Amino acid sequence: MAHQQERRHAIIIGASYAGLVAAAGLKCNGWSVEVIERAREPLRTGGGVVVQKRMLEYLTEHGVAFPGVASIPAVERKIFRRDGSIMRMPESAAAYTSWDVLLRELEQVVGPDTIRRGVAMEDLPDWGAHGEVVLDTGQVISGDVVVAADGIGSRSRRLLLPGIQPTYAGYVAWRGMVNEDELSRETVDAFVDSLCSYQGERSSILLYEVPREDGDIRPGRRRINWVWYQNVAPGDELDRIMTDTDGYVHHTTVPRGVMPPETLTVMRDLAEDDLCGPFREVVLKTEEPFLQKIVDLTIPRLVFGRVVLIGDAASLVRPHIGSGTAKAVDDAIHLAHALSDDCDEDLSCLAAWEHTRLDDHVGLAGYAKAVARRLNLGT
Ligand SMILES: Cc1cc2nc3c(=O)[nH]c(=O)nc-3n(C[C@H](O)[C@H](O)[C@H](O)COP(=O)(O)OP(=O)(O)OC[C@H]3O[C@@H](n4cnc5c(N)ncnc54)[C@H](O)[C@@H]3O)c2cc1C
């Protein structure tokens, strides 16, 4: 049995969804927690996200105050057709918020003092025995468990499973957000309180409303979050659009603000050609779109001695089923459950966790691929 009286210590690499939820969950279970985050400021990578009810319930059950996330429910699903008609269905599944709003709340729950920003994990030299982490400052820290939540390009994964790389799925997602007060009244009205989609000849777009950065959810003061998929063959064409204003070719994401004018023109020409009116207006009025290459990855193991991979570090699910953040949150919550007082000193309790999570990852990845095939996306 573990030393029930001693507080066990967890080092968490990455202060995004997986890392912060794991930190909150482990704190609930009496662990001391130290989060290492490479970025000095919270990242601005994401757009809209589904509010994770399971996460809110879990934290509330464990006595952690969650201040309340500004969100907008989609009450209707609208499929805009090429002939101009709209198919409508009730939609009760989800409330949407934005990445920045939710992460800000999570940071408050974990406690900003727990997070060391601007410090990166450099190496995991003794993961089997002592859970050692070498930081880029040269400092070596160790924990009873090291939770690697360092995302899509995970250095932890590369150290633990050298040679395993995400594979390109054959399509990209153009993404962005635009303030509603920059759009025409007709367009805002067309999309209000709805999850909306349109399938063009060469692309497929989905959008919904999310709160403004300051949390404002009044109609007309919200933002529209859009994700727009397009098949792009690997090779020169893909490399060209993944290149930023400095000439750097990005592996997975061309972030906001560094998309060169020629790539913006490629995107805008596609919008003119392949989107119907309101969707076209949303894309054309977005000032800082970003671009994401869709990639696949599942791995055979999640537990490596004292180091555990979770979230995007552990596996990648295509975005169609809204489960990137959901999976990260599930990995983290179930991990916190597994690492309860009953968990042995050698962490053998994690074998069952690993088995269940690997099954889930494979199931979700397969389901998301099937959705992509229905939309004619990918290879
Ligand atoms: C461009 C982009 C946009 C997305 N938009 C959405 C969206 O709108 N909605 C949605 O539901 N999902 C979105 N996703 C998917 C979603 O981001 C992920 O599934 C989810 O964020 C996974 O969370 P995570 O905590 O595992 O990883 P991440 O969110 O990637 O976080 C990893 C964290 O680890 C830190 N880190 C990395 N390396 C180190 C290191 N060596 N040392 C210390 N810290 C390190 C990073 O700075 C980062 O903060 C998007 C993904 C991408 C790539």
Side-chain angles (χ1 to χ4, degrees):
M1 263 306 168
H3 308 282
Q4 307 282 331
Q5 281 76 30
E6 277 176 36
R7 281 188 95 196
R8 291 187 289 179
H9 186 62
I11 296 171
I12 296 178
I13 307 166
S16 181
Y17 285 95
L20 290 178
V21 175
L26 286 169
K27 272 184 145 184
C28 290
N29 280 352
W31 287 65
S32 69
V33 169
E34 183 178 7
V35 184
I36 305 300
E37 170 54 53
R38 181 177 61 188
R40 287 187 189 283
E41 301 289 332
L43 300 176
R44 293 177 67 224
T45 34
V49 289
V50 177
V51 176
Q52 303 298 324
K53 283 198 189 121
R54 270 193 306 282
M55 175 184 75
L56 302 188
E57 283 163 9
Y58 176 84
L59 293 173
T60 312
E61 269 168 30
H62 286 76
V64 178
F66 207 89
V69 181
S71 67
I72 300 168
V75 293
E76 207 173 26
R77 176 91 167 88
K78 287 186 188 166
I79 300 173
F80 291 67
R81 297 200 183 98
R82 276 181 238 163
D83 63 10
S85 64
I86 300 175
M87 191 164 101
R88 294 162 176 262
M89 286 166 283
E91 166 81 29
S92 57
Y96 296 93
T97 187
S98 64
W99 174 285
D100 36 17
V101 168
L102 194 51
L103 265 191
R104 204 165 50 222
E105 298 283 352
L106 267 176
E107 276 202 20
Q108 290 310 312
V109 166
V110 171
D113 296 347
T114 313
I115 306 168
R116 286 176 67 184
R117 284 200 165 275
V119 180
M121 178 277 292
E122 188 81 30
D123 200 4
L124 298 167
D126 191 16
W127 46 265
H130 298 299
E132 275 184 3
V133 176
V134 179
L135 303 179
D136 60 355
T137 55
Q139 188 190 358
V140 181
I141 53 178
S142 63
D144 298 287
V145 70
V146 177
V147 180
D150 47 350
I152 190 166
S154 172
R155 182 170 179 80
S156 311
R157 189 205 309 127
R158 283 182 278 132
L159 290 167
L160 298 164
L161 291 167
I164 292 197
Q165 295 279 354
T167 51
Y168 177 51
Y171 60 107
V172 298
W174 304 90
R175 310 180 73 132
M177 287 212 260
V178 60
N179 290 339
E180 281 186 337
D181 50 17
E182 288 158 37
L183 298 168
S184 65
R185 181 66 192 267
E186 299 72 47
T187 293
V188 174
D189 287 348
F191 297 145
V192 73
D193 290 338
S194 318
L195 177 63
C196 302
S197 61
Y198 177 78
Q199 177 94 31
E201 304 253 352
R202 296 190 285 139
S203 65
S204 173
I205 188 166
L206 179 87
L207 59 74
Y208 50 87
E209 298 168 296
V210 295
R212 193 67 71 88
E213 216 160 342
D214 60 6
D216 201 334
I217 55 169
R218 287 171 294 168
R221 298 278 308 147
R222 306 168 175 181
R223 293 179 287 182
I224 302 262
N225 172 68
W226 55 271
V227 189
W228 182 29
Y229 302 104
Q230 180 199 7
N231 285 329
V232 177
D236 290 348
E237 189 188 351
L238 180 64
D239 290 349
R240 232 182 343 264
I241 58 173
M242 294 304 296
T243 304
D244 69 17
T245 38
D246 289 333
Y248 179 79
V249 184
H250 289 264
H251 292 298
T252 49
T253 303
V254 182
R256 286 188 181 129
V258 297
M259 194 178 278
E262 52 277 21
T263 309
L264 285 170
T265 304
V266 169
M267 185 197 77
R268 287 177 182 147
D269 287 349
L270 183 66
E272 295 284 3
D273 267 11
D274 209 41
L275 293 180
C276 68
F279 290 88
R280 187 186 311 130
E281 185 187 345
V282 165
V283 170
L284 294 180
K285 289 202 170 148
T286 299
E287 274 180 18
E288 290 190 327
F290 59 107
L291 179 63
Q292 192 187 347
K293 209 158 130 180
I294 305 300
V295 291
D296 292 318
L297 177 87
T298 46
I299 59 176
R301 288 173 68 182
L302 304 175
V303 181
F304 300 78
R306 297 204 164 269
V307 182
V308 185
L309 294 173
I310 63 169
D312 277 8
S315 71
L316 299 167
V317 176
R318 300 187 191 179
H320 312 289
I321 54 174
S323 48
T325 44
K327 179 180 67 65
V329 165
D330 275 352
D331 285 351
I333 287 177
H334 290 288
L335 179 69
H337 265 303
L339 289 171
S340 65
D341 280 350
D342 299 334
C343 186
D344 289 348
E345 189 70 10
D346 65 0
L347 306 185
S348 57
C349 60
L350 290 183
W353 172 85
E354 179 181 51
H355 184 75
T356 319
R357 295 315 300 151
L358 282 174
D359 265 6
D360 250 33
H361 293 181
V362 170
L364 286 170
Y367 177 39
K369 280 183 192 171
V371 175
R373 272 196 297 277
R374 282 206 296 278
L375 296 168
N376 297 321
L377 292 170
T379 43

